[in-house]
Amino acid sequence: MSNFIREELEKEREWVDTQLSLVCSQKPKNIPSRLWESMVYSLMAGGKRLRPILCIKAAETMGADRKEILPMALAFEMIHTASLIHDDLPAMDNDSLRRGKPTNHIIFGETLAILAGDALLAWGFEYPLFHLNRGNIPAERIIKAFSIFSQAIGPSGICGGQVLDTDPQSYQDNADFVLRIARQKTAVLIQSSVTVGAILAGAPALAVDAFEKYGEHLGLAFQIVDDILDVTATAKVLGKTPGKDAQQEKNTFVTVWGIAEARRRALEESERARDALNLIDMPTSFFQDLAIFLSERSC
């Protein structure tokens, strides 16, 4: 199973990378060259492309054409990349390595890094709105999808999660607080990517709710494993600096539970994700296998 899902993810990652390359192949008018260079540097730096893959796969599961959903899927990668650029800034996690390459502000300076992140955030709305509007997806689905998309990004989503993760006055020393950070900072974008894909495909409410629950538990499992890898993996394997959480004295699933219990909880969240799929009356083997794979990943 692990080889199958690994090969499937690699195939989908390559496809998403090809589509991103096409989008980035020509600079749109009026964008300053250095800003565009900074945006494209981080957007094309690699990565799992998990969020766009989830969006595409959920839509396809519910009968949609991936090419119609593609603009929204790419928007999730734009938003995710923007959050990584800002996350790495000296005022945030102050990291110099991301996806195996120097972080954006190391190459372009803090000013351009901030503006590149802002620009990708805005482009994550502009690009799909323009392209989805030219397709066959009903307007009411697009509006509903963007409502979830924007909530995932805003103050109750990844922006709020980043505050909880970095602001000392917001810290709470308990497991519930670590779960809250994980839900807002990591799980919410994974959850919304799979949910939005289902919505754009016209999935019934029961299936949308099932994908939403699946995405939440998948995102939590992903973050728990991320915390484990931060203390067990090398920079070469991770593509980013390990041990940052300990250096910054952050509460993580490992500091709260220890490695063994964190592993158990990751598997538990994976099982909850898989259970949520029982309400979807369509083949969901990809999502079933993905939940196991991500909870056991080593990079």
Side-chain angles (χ1 to χ4, degrees):
M1 182 273 289
S2 61
N3 285 337
F4 166 77
I5 192 66
R6 193 186 301 275
E7 290 170 4
E8 184 72 7
L9 286 171
E10 180 60 19
K11 181 186 75 173
E12 295 294 355
R13 184 196 64 76
E14 289 177 356
W15 190 81
V16 170
D17 276 346
T18 298
Q19 304 310 311
L20 279 171
S21 295
L22 291 172
V23 171
C24 296
S25 62
Q26 187 171 357
K27 180 179 76 67
K29 291 180 180 179
N30 301 322
I31 299 180
S33 295
R34 283 276 289 164
L35 176 60
W36 180 249
E37 187 182 348
S38 180
M39 292 164 63
V40 171
Y41 173 80
S42 289
L43 191 58
M44 297 307 301
K48 299 176 185 66
R49 310 304 192 194
L50 176 63
R51 293 149 191 84
I53 291 171
L54 283 169
C55 185
I56 290 165
K57 286 291 194 179
E60 284 188 323
T61 297
M62 304 314 299
D65 183 334
R66 65 167 48 201
K67 290 185 178 178
E68 287 201 334
I69 305 300
L70 178 63
M72 192 77 243
L74 297 186
F76 276 103
E77 193 63 29
M78 294 170 187
I79 297 300
H80 179 54
T81 301
S83 73
L84 297 181
I85 292 173
H86 287 170
D87 194 40
D88 291 332
L89 287 166
M92 298 286 188
D93 280 354
N94 192 24
D95 214 330
S96 60
L97 190 67
R98 173 69 68 176
R99 292 171 169 171
K101 299 178 180 180
T103 48
N104 194 290
H105 68 274
I106 296 295
I107 299 294
F108 296 96
E110 289 183 49
T111 299
L112 265 178
I114 292 169
L115 292 171
D118 290 346
L120 283 168
L121 183 70
W123 202 26
F125 283 83
E126 175 190 346
Y127 181 81
L129 279 171
F130 178 79
H131 289 280
L132 290 175
N133 192 47
R134 301 172 71 185
N136 299 315
I137 300 174
E140 60 269 21
R141 292 186 199 169
I142 297 174
I143 292 169
K144 186 175 180 181
F146 269 90
S147 174
I148 291 171
F149 182 68
S150 59
Q151 286 176 25
I153 297 163
S156 61
I158 58 176
C159 288
Q162 185 72 343
V163 169
L164 297 178
D165 193 44
T166 59
D167 176 36
Q169 295 186 48
S170 298
Y171 286 174
Q172 297 174 24
D173 190 15
N174 57 67
D176 287 343
F177 183 65
V178 177
L179 280 166
R180 185 182 171 193
I181 294 173
R183 282 194 176 94
Q184 286 189 244
K185 187 179 177 185
T186 302
V188 71
L189 204 58
I190 290 174
Q191 179 183 37
S192 63
S193 63
V194 71
T195 306
V196 162
I199 288 170
L200 289 176
L206 194 65
V208 172
D209 289 345
F211 271 125
E212 185 177 19
K213 289 182 176 66
Y214 170 84
E216 178 187 5
H217 294 299
L218 186 76
L220 288 174
F222 185 92
Q223 184 58 57
I224 294 169
V225 175
D226 225 41
D227 286 357
I228 294 170
L229 292 175
D230 187 68
V231 299
T232 61
T234 64
K236 184 177 181 180
V237 170
L238 288 178
K240 58 183 179 180
T241 307
K244 293 291 292 185
D245 294 333
Q247 291 174 21
Q248 297 170 346
E249 299 181 340
K250 288 184 179 180
N251 282 338
T252 69
F253 290 111
V254 172
T255 61
V256 170
W257 293 332
I259 291 178
E261 177 63 9
R263 289 192 192 281
R264 189 191 71 77
R265 297 285 186 118
L267 291 172
E268 184 177 80
E269 292 297 337
S270 172
E271 286 303 313
R272 288 176 177 173
R274 299 178 76 206
D275 288 345
L277 296 169
N278 292 333
L279 296 175
I280 300 174
D281 190 23
M282 299 291 280
T284 58
S285 58
F286 170 82
F287 297 100
Q288 296 275 358
D289 292 349
L290 179 66
I292 297 173
F293 178 78
L294 290 183
S295 68
E296 297 176 347
R297 69 192 173 98
S298 59
C299 64

Coordinates of all heavy atoms in Angstrom, one line a residue, residues 68-99:
E68 N -11.1 21.7 -14.5 CA -12.0 22.8 -14.1 C -11.7 23.2 -12.7 O -11.9 24.4 -12.3 CB -13.5 22.3 -14.2 CG -14.0 22.2 -15.6 CD -15.5 22.3 -15.6 OE1 -16.1 21.9 -14.6 OE2 -16.1 22.7 -16.7
I69 N -11.2 22.3 -11.8 CA -10.9 22.6 -10.4 C -9.5 23.2 -10.3 O -9.2 23.8 -9.2 CB -11.1 21.3 -9.6 CG1 -12.4 20.7 -9.8 CG2 -10.8 21.5 -8.1 CD1 -13.6 21.6 -9.4
L70 N -8.7 23.0 -11.2 CA -7.2 23.3 -11.1 C -7.0 24.7 -10.6 O -6.1 24.9 -9.7 CB -6.6 23.1 -12.5 CG -5.1 23.5 -12.5 CD1 -4.3 22.6 -11.6 CD2 -4.6 23.4 -14.0
P71 N -7.6 25.8 -11.1 CA -7.3 27.1 -10.6 C -7.5 27.2 -9.1 O -6.7 27.9 -8.4 CB -8.4 28.0 -11.3 CG -8.7 27.3 -12.6 CD -8.7 25.8 -12.2
M72 N -8.5 26.5 -8.5 CA -8.7 26.6 -7.1 C -7.6 25.8 -6.4 O -7.1 26.2 -5.3 CB -10.1 26.0 -6.7 CG -10.5 26.3 -5.3 SD -11.1 27.9 -5.0 CE -9.9 28.5 -3.8
A73 N -7.3 24.6 -7.0 CA -6.2 23.8 -6.4 C -4.9 24.6 -6.3 O -4.2 24.5 -5.3 CB -6.0 22.5 -7.2
L74 N -4.5 25.3 -7.4 CA -3.3 26.0 -7.4 C -3.3 27.2 -6.4 O -2.3 27.6 -5.8 CB -3.0 26.6 -8.8 CG -2.8 25.5 -9.9 CD1 -2.4 26.2 -11.2 CD2 -1.7 24.5 -9.5
A75 N -4.5 27.7 -6.2 CA -4.7 28.8 -5.2 C -4.3 28.3 -3.8 O -3.7 29.1 -3.0 CB -6.1 29.3 -5.2
F76 N -4.6 27.1 -3.5 CA -4.2 26.5 -2.1 C -2.7 26.5 -2.0 O -2.2 26.8 -0.9 CB -4.8 25.2 -1.9 CG -6.2 25.2 -1.4 CD1 -7.3 25.0 -2.2 CD2 -6.5 25.5 -0.1 CE1 -8.6 25.0 -1.8 CE2 -7.8 25.6 0.4 CZ -8.8 25.3 -0.5
E77 N -2.0 26.2 -3.1 CA -0.5 26.2 -3.0 C 0.0 27.6 -2.9 O 1.0 27.8 -2.2 CB 0.1 25.5 -4.2 CG 1.5 25.2 -4.1 CD 1.8 24.2 -2.9 OE1 1.0 23.4 -2.6 OE2 2.9 24.3 -2.4
M78 N -0.6 28.6 -3.6 CA -0.2 30.0 -3.4 C -0.3 30.4 -2.0 O 0.6 31.1 -1.4 CB -1.1 30.8 -4.4 CG -0.9 30.6 -5.8 SD -2.1 31.5 -6.8 CE -1.7 30.8 -8.5
I79 N -1.5 30.1 -1.4 CA -1.7 30.5 0.0 C -0.7 29.8 0.9 O -0.2 30.4 1.9 CB -3.2 30.2 0.4 CG1 -4.1 31.0 -0.4 CG2 -3.4 30.5 1.9 CD1 -4.0 32.5 -0.4
H80 N -0.6 28.5 0.8 CA 0.4 27.8 1.6 C 1.8 28.3 1.5 O 2.5 28.5 2.5 CB 0.3 26.3 1.2 CG 1.3 25.4 2.0 ND1 1.3 25.4 3.4 CD2 2.3 24.6 1.6 CE1 2.2 24.6 3.8 NE2 2.8 24.1 2.7
T81 N 2.2 28.6 0.3 CA 3.5 29.2 0.1 C 3.7 30.6 0.7 O 4.7 30.9 1.4 CB 3.9 29.3 -1.4 OG1 3.8 28.0 -2.0 CG2 5.2 29.9 -1.7
A82 N 2.6 31.4 0.6 CA 2.6 32.7 1.3 C 2.8 32.5 2.8 O 3.6 33.3 3.4 CB 1.3 33.4 1.0
S83 N 2.1 31.6 3.4 CA 2.2 31.4 4.8 C 3.6 30.9 5.2 O 4.1 31.2 6.3 CB 1.2 30.3 5.3 OG 1.5 29.0 4.9
L84 N 4.3 30.1 4.4 CA 5.6 29.6 4.7 C 6.6 30.8 4.6 O 7.5 30.9 5.4 CB 6.0 28.5 3.7 CG 5.2 27.2 3.7 CD1 5.7 26.2 2.7 CD2 5.2 26.6 5.1
I85 N 6.5 31.6 3.6 CA 7.4 32.8 3.5 C 7.3 33.6 4.7 O 8.4 34.0 5.3 CB 7.0 33.6 2.2 CG1 7.3 32.9 0.9 CG2 7.8 35.0 2.3 CD1 6.8 33.6 -0.3
H86 N 6.1 33.9 5.2 CA 5.9 34.7 6.4 C 6.4 34.0 7.6 O 7.0 34.6 8.6 CB 4.5 35.2 6.5 CG 4.1 36.3 5.5 ND1 2.8 36.7 5.3 CD2 4.9 37.0 4.7 CE1 2.8 37.6 4.4 NE2 4.0 37.8 4.0
D87 N 6.1 32.7 7.7 CA 6.5 31.9 8.8 C 8.0 31.9 9.1 O 8.5 31.8 10.2 CB 6.0 30.4 8.6 CG 6.0 29.6 9.9 OD1 5.7 30.1 11.0 OD2 6.4 28.4 9.8
D88 N 8.7 31.9 8.0 CA 10.2 31.9 8.1 C 10.9 33.2 8.4 O 12.1 33.2 8.7 CB 10.8 31.4 6.7 CG 10.4 29.9 6.4 OD1 10.2 29.2 7.4 OD2 10.3 29.5 5.2
L89 N 10.1 34.3 8.4 CA 10.7 35.6 8.6 C 11.4 35.7 10.0 O 10.9 35.0 11.0 CB 9.6 36.7 8.5 CG 9.2 37.0 7.1 CD1 7.9 37.8 7.1 CD2 10.3 37.7 6.3
P90 N 12.3 36.6 10.2 CA 13.0 36.8 11.5 C 12.0 37.1 12.6 O 12.2 36.7 13.7 CB 14.0 37.9 11.2 CG 14.3 37.8 9.8 CD 13.0 37.3 9.1
A91 N 10.9 37.8 12.3 CA 9.9 38.2 13.3 C 9.1 37.0 13.7 O 8.4 37.1 14.7 CB 9.1 39.3 12.8
M92 N 9.1 35.9 12.9 CA 8.3 34.7 13.2 C 9.2 33.6 13.7 O 9.7 33.7 14.8 CB 7.5 34.3 11.9 CG 6.5 35.4 11.5 SD 5.1 35.5 12.5 CE 4.1 36.6 11.5
D93 N 9.5 32.6 12.8 CA 10.3 31.5 13.2 C 11.8 31.7 12.9 O 12.6 30.9 13.3 CB 9.9 30.2 12.5 CG 8.6 29.6 13.2 OD1 8.3 30.1 14.3 OD2 8.1 28.6 12.7
N94 N 12.1 32.7 12.2 CA 13.5 33.1 11.9 C 14.3 31.9 11.3 O 15.3 31.5 11.9 CB 14.2 33.7 13.1 CG 15.5 34.3 12.8 OD1 15.8 34.7 11.7 ND2 16.4 34.4 13.8
D95 N 13.8 31.4 10.2 CA 14.5 30.2 9.6 C 15.2 30.5 8.3 O 14.7 31.4 7.6 CB 13.4 29.1 9.4 CG 14.0 27.7 9.6 OD1 15.2 27.5 9.4 OD2 13.2 26.8 10.0
S96 N 16.2 29.8 8.1 CA 17.0 30.1 6.9 C 16.9 29.0 5.8 O 17.5 29.1 4.7 CB 18.5 30.3 7.3 OG 19.0 29.1 7.9
L97 N 16.1 28.0 6.1 CA 16.0 26.8 5.2 C 14.6 26.4 5.0 O 13.9 26.2 6.0 CB 16.9 25.7 5.7 CG 17.1 24.5 4.7 CD1 17.9 24.9 3.6 CD2 17.7 23.3 5.5
R98 N 14.1 26.2 3.8 CA 12.8 25.8 3.5 C 12.8 25.0 2.2 O 13.3 25.4 1.2 CB 11.8 27.0 3.4 CG 10.4 26.6 2.9 CD 9.6 25.9 4.0 NE 9.3 26.7 5.2 CZ 8.6 26.3 6.2 NH1 8.1 25.0 6.2 NH2 8.4 27.1 7.2
R99 N 12.2 23.8 2.3 CA 12.2 22.9 1.1 C 13.6 22.7 0.5 O 13.8 22.5 -0.7 CB 11.2 23.4 0.1 CG 9.8 23.4 0.5 CD 8.8 24.1 -0.4 NE 7.4 23.8 -0.1 CZ 6.4 24.4 -0.6 NH1 6.6 25.4 -1.5 NH2 5.2 24.1 -0.3

